[in-house]
Amino acid sequence: MLRNFFLVSEFEFRAIINDKPGLLRIFMEPFAYLFLLAAGLQSIVGIYQVDYISFVYPGIVGLQLLRLFLHSIYRLTIDRRWGLQAIKMIAGTTNLAYFLGMSVVPICLFIVQTSISYPLALLLGVQLSISGFFALLIVGILATFFWVSLAIVCTYYFKKYSQRDLFIQFLFLPISLSAPIFYSLDNVPEYLKVISHFNPLSYQVIALRELFLNLTISTNFYITLSLSIFSMWIALKFMKNAEYLPSEI
C-alpha cells in the first residue's frame, strides 16, 4: 500500500509541476483577494472589534479549499479518462492508497498557499500568531479531505462530462457566496443563514476563523471533522463499487 501510495503521489506531483499556468493561478488568487478585494473593503467594514483584514483572512484561506476541489475534479477526470487509474489499480493500488495519493498534492498546495500568504497578511496588518497559523493548517488539511472525497464522488457518479460540469457550475457559486468568507452571519437575512447551514464551506470557514482569531475549538470544528470522515467513507465506498475504466461521454 505504501509503495503504491508514493507512486500515485509522485505522479500527481509531476502533473502539477508541469501545469505552470495552473500553479500560477493557484498561488496568485489568495494575493488578489487579500491585496485587492479585502484591502479595499477594509476601509468601509468593521466587525467584532477586529480589523476587517484579520477577519477576512481565514475566509480567503477557506475559499482556496473550494479551488482545490476543482483541481481534484480535473485530475481525477484525466486519470479515469485515459485509463491511468485502471493501470494503478491493476498494479495493486488499494482504494485507500489511491485516495491518499490523490489527496497529497491538494494538501501540499494548501500548505504552500497559506505559508506564502502568511507574511503578506502580516504586511497588511493581519493580527496573526504562529499558533493561529498552525491552527489554519490543521483545519485546512482536515477540510481538504472532504473536498477530495466530494471530487471522487462527483467523478464516479456523473457518467457524462456535461452533467458533471453543470453540477459543478451550479454548486460553485452558491457555496462560495453563502459561506461567511467576506461577511459575518450575525446580521444577514434569515434565508441566507438557512442556506449557510447546509453549506459545508460555512462550517470550515467559521472553524478556521475561530481557531485563527481566538484559538477556540467549537462545534464548527467538530462538524468539519465529522464531514471529512463521513465523506471519506462515502468516497471509498464509491471506489469499491465503481468501474476502473471510464464510461463517460
Side-chain angles (χ1 to χ4, degrees), residues 189-202:
E190 287 300 321
Y191 75 87
L192 190 53
K193 291 181 181 179
V194 172
I195 294 173
S196 69
H197 284 314
F198 295 95
N199 185 352
L201 186 60
S202 294

Side-chain angles (χ1 to χ4, degrees), residues 20 24 26 32 54 60 72 80 83 85 92 99 109 111 129 142 152 157 160 163 174-175 179 181 191 225 239 242:
K20 300 299 191 301
L24 181 62
I26 287 171
S54 297
I60 292 173
S72 299
R80 283 179 57 77
Q85 185 196 18
F99 173 86
L109 288 175
I111 292 172
S129 64
L142 289 175
I152 288 176
Y157 181 77
K160 295 183 178 181
Q163 293 175 343
I175 284 181
I181 295 169
Y191 75 87
L225 176 61
M239 292 178 66

Side-chain angles (χ1 to χ4, degrees), residues 90-131:
I90 292 172
T93 304
T94 64
N95 291 334
L96 180 60
Y98 182 80
F99 173 86
L100 294 176
M102 298 301 289
S103 301
V104 167
V105 166
I107 289 173
C108 289
L109 288 175
F110 174 79
I111 292 172
V112 172
Q113 277 182 320
T114 308
S115 300
I116 292 176
S117 65
Y118 174 76
L120 297 173
L122 290 176
L123 287 176
L124 288 174
V126 171
Q127 302 169 12
L128 185 59
S129 64
I130 295 297
S131 55

